[in-house]
Structure formats: structure tokens, C-alpha cells
Amino acid sequence: MENTSNLFGTYVYPEPQFVRGAGVLLFDAEGRDFLDFSSGIAVNSLGHAHPHLVNALKQQAENLWHTSNLFAVPGREVLADRLCQNSFADKVFFTNSGAEALECAIKTARHYHFDKGDVEKINILTFEGAFHGRTLATIAAGGNQQYLEGFGPKSQGFIQLPFGDMDAVDAAVDEFTAGILIEPIMGEGGIREHSSEFLRHLRQLCDEHDIVLIYDEVQTGIARTGKLFAYQWSGVEPDIMALAKGLGGGFPMGACLARETVAVSMVPGTHGSTFGGNPLAMAVANAVLDIVLEDGFLDHVGKMSGRLKQYLAEFLDSYPDLFEEIRGEGLLLGLKCKIPNSEIAVALREAGVLVVPAGDNVIRLLPPLIISEDELGETHQRMDRAFVLLAGK
Ligand SMILES: *Cc1c(COP(=O)(O)O)cnc(C)c1O
């Protein structure tokens, strides 16, 4: 079929087209509602059109949109302070996306060694199945051949190792190793979780060999897994961490967090961004944190996670020909499918539930973290309707 759109052909959009969102629901032009278990890929952490976020954005929009990093923005210090107060980090650089947060993380790790005179320490160890973004450096970090092919020489200094293979990591560490980059739970790669043991082992290696441990929490961060950051499940802290998706609640932004010891060489002139830390983004992210840091918020995520896992376990029992495994933490859950995950996603969409396919033939269930028990009940019914039809085929 001829592509008559003026858009790049990088995406193929399905019907329906959404015109409005409210809480957990999205509405199409005909007014049909869909339970949004995609959350814009783990972005709309507080659902659609959350009043506190809408107010924060409106108020900021009436005052000041943009001054660039030529000048300080008050909300920026506050947000950085809150992120540091609630994590391992001492320093923050704000970006506009996840990939840019990773670029900053990679640059910071390499520059740390450069500044100490270890100019040959440039290699970053990463893991097969990882996803770190679509810039030239982050496709090299992810190592997915499909994303690399046709885009010129692969950016140097990224070495992919098999998932969860401690021996492979031990063997790969040498005098050129600058950092280890890892998602505590792989999102795009199919909700595959690295064990606490594995992360502890990485931490030990990094300490022994002066290597920078970098977590990519772009998808897992900001309460998605039931802790503010996924690394808090293991207690194994990184030296650098990339955030984005849920942090802006739908406003495009990201952040690179770091320990002072690692960020110390990032002085004027080493890195920059025209839009990073924009007043609008700062206002919205501060509003997101107002809610996520409230007492009881993480408990709510944990409770809803328990209920959703219960439903998924039922589906696993009732539809053994469709599903084989439940994965994930909090409200970053996956169902490993026995038929193509895209077929399941389409059937669910037709039943009024939006999910996201992931690698390893998994469908991801990423509802807004504010979802209620009743909404989960309604989702269960709609999903069951879809699965009855699929299993009857
Ligand atoms: C989405 C994602 C990215 C890339 O974020 P963008 O905002 O699309 O650049 C990087 N890492 C992980 C783990 C992600 O899920």
C-alpha cells in the first residue's frame, strides 16, 4: 500500500485514534473507552490529565516557559534535591529523553576515568536483550543488530555479554573497562529481572576495579516496580542512574543522577542541553514527585500489583495454551505468551484494554500507578472476554 502520510514511515499506527484521556482511561473519537495498560510505555505514571499535574503545568505556562541553561530555574534545584534526597545520588543533570539521560551517563562514566588520567578506560559492558534508546551511542549500548544495521559504524566501546552470566562479566573486565550498564529489570527485552545476587556481584567487581556501575531505570524508575527505584529491591546502589519515562508523567524529560565522586569532573563545557531542565518539565516532575512521595503511595502500588498478579495467575491456569509465565515487579508486569504476543495485544485492544508487546514474546501490563481495585476488576473482565475468544479459536 502506498504511504500517503507526510510522517516518516518509522511507525505504523493502529486504529483507534485517541482524543482524550482521564485517569486510567483513553477515549477515541466515538467516545469508546479503553483501559490504558500501556501508559504511553510506562510514562503516564499518574494516568491521563491528573489534576495536580495539569495545574502545575498551567501555572508554569502562565509564568515562564524557557530560559535555557544560560540561567538558573528555581524548580530545577528543588527537583534535583528531591531526587538526591530519595536516592543514592548527589548530583543531577536534566535531559529531554531517556536516551539523552543514557548519553549523559555514558559520557560521565568515561569522563570520570579520563579526568583521573585513565584515558584508555572507555569500554562499557552491557547485556544482550537490553534497550537503552535509539541514538547512535545507545543503539551500540543495546547491541540489537536490527537497530544498528544500516546506520554506519557502530559507536565504539560497547561490549554485550549474555544475560545474567557472572563468569562472562568476570572474564570481560579488563584495564579498558570504564563502566557496566544494566537495567535492573529489562523492559523492552521482555520484563527480564536481574537477580539481587547478580547486581551485588557487579557492585563488588566495580568496587574492586574502579568501574562505574550505571543503572538504566528509565522504565523501572519512579515507583513503577513498587519502590521509588527498582534497585531498592536489591539494595545494591549504582554510581550513575538514568531516569525518564515516569518522571515527567507524560511531559518529555529525563535525568542522569550520579554520585558526587563520579560527577565531579563534569565541569562547565563538558556537557550541555538547550532544553534540558526546562521550567515546564521541572514544574510537572515536581508535581509527579508530590504525589509519588506521599505516604502510602508505594503501598498502593504494591497492593494493586498483588491483585493484578492474582488475576494473571488465574489466566495462566485458565488459558495454558495462551500463556506460560508471569514476570516483573510492581506494575511493571509481563505475561510470556505461547501464541504471538501481537495477536494477544490486538485481541485485548478489541476488548478495550491496551497493552504493550515486548521482546521474548511477552506482553507488558503497565497501568497508571493510580489504578484502583475496581478498575483492575473491570480490566480482568475485559481481558477474560478476549482470552475466551482467543482460546476458542
Ligand atoms: C524507553 C527506554 C529508553 C529510551 O528512552 P527514550 O525517551 O525513548 O529515549 C532507554 N532505556 C530504557 C530502559 C527504556 O525503557
Side-chain angles (χ1 to χ4, degrees):
M1 212 174 76
E2 196 192 347
N3 179 2
T4 55
S5 166
N6 290 117
L7 298 170
F8 264 40
T10 45
Y11 293 112
V12 180
Y13 302 104
E15 289 296 326
Q17 201 170 55
F18 299 113
V19 295
R20 190 169 70 84
V24 176
L25 295 175
L26 279 173
F27 298 89
D28 69 8
E30 280 79 54
R32 189 175 167 212
D33 66 73
F34 295 78
L35 287 149
D36 186 9
F37 275 53
S38 64
S39 295
I41 317 187
V43 167
N44 303 94
S45 41
L46 303 178
H48 298 278
H50 191 291
H52 187 60
L53 271 55
V54 171
N55 271 337
L57 184 60
K58 271 188 181 164
Q59 272 188 20
Q60 188 58 48
E62 283 166 6
N63 280 321
L64 185 66
W65 284 30
H66 179 77
T67 55
S68 86
N69 281 294
L70 290 171
F71 306 101
V73 168
R76 225 184 256 155
E77 288 284 347
V78 174
L79 183 62
D81 183 56
R82 294 171 91 187
L83 289 171
C84 291
Q85 289 290 331
N86 288 284
S87 74
F88 70 96
D90 311 301
K91 298 283 177 189
V92 182
F93 184 92
F94 289 112
T95 68
N96 312 290
S97 67
E100 282 173 276
L102 265 310
E103 292 270 345
C104 179
I106 294 160
K107 285 179 72 176
T108 303
R110 286 181 175 168
H111 205 261
Y112 160 75
H113 294 297
F114 171 83
D115 195 54
K116 291 175 59 179
D118 295 331
V119 294
E120 296 196 323
K121 280 195 165 194
I122 60 153
N123 286 347
I124 311 282
L125 308 181
T126 70
F127 296 91
E128 285 165 11
F131 180 79
H132 299 298
R134 296 291 207 131
T135 60
L136 288 167
T138 55
I139 55 175
N144 183 334
Q145 273 312 314
Q146 209 187 327
Y147 296 167
L148 283 160
E149 193 173 271
F151 297 107
K154 183 181 162 191
S155 179
Q156 279 182 14
F158 297 95
I159 298 168
Q160 277 80 40
L161 303 173
F163 179 91
D165 188 336
M166 289 195 203
D167 295 338
V169 184
D170 290 344
V173 166
D174 60 20
E175 68 269 36
F176 306 112
T177 311
I180 300 178
L181 168 59
I182 188 165
E183 297 160 85
I185 303 175
M186 283 182 178
E188 306 299 309
I191 317 285
R192 293 164 77 198
E193 205 166 336
H194 285 100
S195 70
S196 298
E197 265 171 283
F198 187 66
L199 297 178
R200 247 192 309 279
H201 186 74
L202 296 184
R203 180 70 269 172
Q204 229 166 13
L205 262 183
C206 287
D207 290 343
E208 277 165 30
H209 299 270
D210 189 21
I211 297 167
V212 179
L213 183 59
I214 308 168
Y215 286 163
D216 180 347
E217 290 229 29
V218 166
Q219 188 157 160
T220 53
I222 313 298
R224 176 52 59 186
T225 69
K227 300 261 190 203
L228 190 58
F229 304 111
Y231 79 79
Q232 291 165 331
W233 286 107
S234 68
V236 181
E237 294 184 340
D239 302 301
I240 300 182
M241 177 167 72
L243 297 177
K245 296 200 164 96
L247 178 58
F251 198 93
M253 69 165 304
C256 174
L257 280 58
R259 290 185 198 279
E260 177 146 37
T261 45
V262 174
V264 68
S265 83
M266 298 302 278
V267 296
T270 52
H271 195 48
S273 168
T274 300
F275 293 120
N278 168 287
L280 299 168
M282 297 301 97
V284 178
N286 270 311
V288 169
L289 287 192
D290 288 344
I291 291 171
V292 169
L293 294 177
E294 263 175 17
D295 272 355
F297 187 87
L298 295 176
D299 291 341
H300 173 80
V301 176
K303 222 169 120 193
M304 293 307 111
S305 170
R307 175 49 58 96
L308 181 52
K309 279 183 184 163
Q310 223 176 323
Y311 287 149
L312 298 184
E314 273 178 42
F315 291 142
L316 213 63
D317 278 350
S318 310
Y319 305 103
D321 296 336
L322 296 183
F323 306 111
E324 58 182 270
E325 197 185 9
I326 303 166
R327 296 178 179 179
E329 291 285 355
L331 292 174
L332 182 74
L333 295 178
L335 268 177
K336 176 140 168 86
C337 307
K338 285 190 177 166
I339 68 169
N341 57 357
S342 54
E343 278 181 39
I344 299 213
V346 168
L348 284 172
R349 193 169 67 228
E350 281 163 4
V353 181
L354 306 169
V355 298
V356 199
D360 204 25
N361 205 34
V362 162
I363 55 163
R364 264 176 294 178
L365 301 150
L366 315 166
L369 306 178
I370 50 144
I371 194 163
S372 70
E373 216 153 337
D374 284 351
E375 287 161 335
L376 279 177
E378 171 67 21
T379 309
H380 174 256
Q381 284 183 19
R382 291 188 190 187
M383 288 178 90
D384 199 50
R385 248 175 269 152
F387 297 155
V388 165
L389 289 176
L390 270 178
K393 265 185 195 169

